[in-house]
């Protein structure tokens, strides 16, 4: 088999994953697209390892070893990424990337950004109206 077949397939997988990262707004779908990109890299590593092992007398299979490390890193990335997405979804109620903002800042919905001082507690308001 020629090297071009797995390389073209890996390029298509990588482009599909890149489109998913850039176009999707759901955090879960973005993580799935990142996994698709990592699988394209794994396919390239194995394909080039097989291609280079035919030319060399001694085969070290370093591409396949790097693929195992990449799979381990991808598993850790998905575990941490899903934990973050679930924590954000519990706090905010959405996993839409565009709607999420920094949790340390409280932004006004109208975009004015001015902080208005508090006018008082509920007890003070009830006393003023009574």
């Amino acid at each position: 088999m020629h090297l071009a077949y797995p390389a073209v397939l890996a390029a298509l997988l990588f482009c599909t994953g890149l489109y998913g990262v850039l176009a999707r707004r759901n955090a879960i779908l973005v993580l799935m697209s990142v996994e698709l990109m990592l699988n394209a890299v794994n396919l390239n590593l194995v394909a080039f390892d097989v291609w280079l092992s035919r030319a060399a007398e001694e085969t070290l299979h370093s591409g396949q070893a790097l693929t195992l490390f990449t799979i381990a890193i991808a598993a850790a990335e998905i575990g941490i990424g899903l934990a973050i997405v679930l924590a954000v979804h519990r706090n905010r109620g959405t996993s839409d990337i565009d709607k999420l903002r920094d949790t340390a800042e409280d932004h006004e919905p109208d975009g004015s950004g001015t902080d208005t001082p508090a006018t008082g507690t509920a007890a003070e308001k009830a006393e003023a109206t009574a």
Side-chain angles (χ1 to χ4, degrees):
M1 180 167 45
H2 296 288
L3 180 63
Y5 298 133
V8 168
L9 179 63
L12 289 174
L13 282 174
F14 192 85
C15 289
T16 305
L18 185 65
Y19 173 75
V21 167
L22 296 177
R24 299 292 179 183
R25 298 295 173 233
N26 191 350
I28 303 280
L29 293 177
V30 170
L31 287 174
M32 289 173 57
S33 298
V34 169
E35 285 295 317
L36 197 62
M37 292 168 61
L38 287 173
N39 285 331
V41 170
N42 288 339
L43 181 62
N44 266 334
L45 284 171
V46 171
F48 278 98
D49 181 49
V50 169
W51 182 64
L52 290 175
S53 68
R54 290 182 186 167
E57 293 178 8
E58 295 180 8
T59 57
L60 295 175
H61 299 294
S62 58
Q64 294 177 15
L66 285 174
T67 299
L68 291 175
F69 285 119
T70 306
I71 290 171
I73 290 171
E77 175 252 335
I78 281 298
I80 293 171
L82 283 177
I84 291 171
V85 168
L86 287 175
V88 168
H89 192 311
R90 284 182 188 163
N91 289 335
R92 297 290 177 112
T94 184
S95 63
D96 190 5
I97 295 175
D98 288 337
K99 293 181 182 176
L100 299 178
R101 293 190 181 206
D102 191 8
T103 57
E105 297 178 8
D106 187 24
H107 295 283
E108 297 279 333
D110 61 351
S112 63
T114 58
D115 292 334
T116 57
T119 57
T121 63
E124 292 174 352
K125 288 180 184 178
E127 183 181 29
T129 57

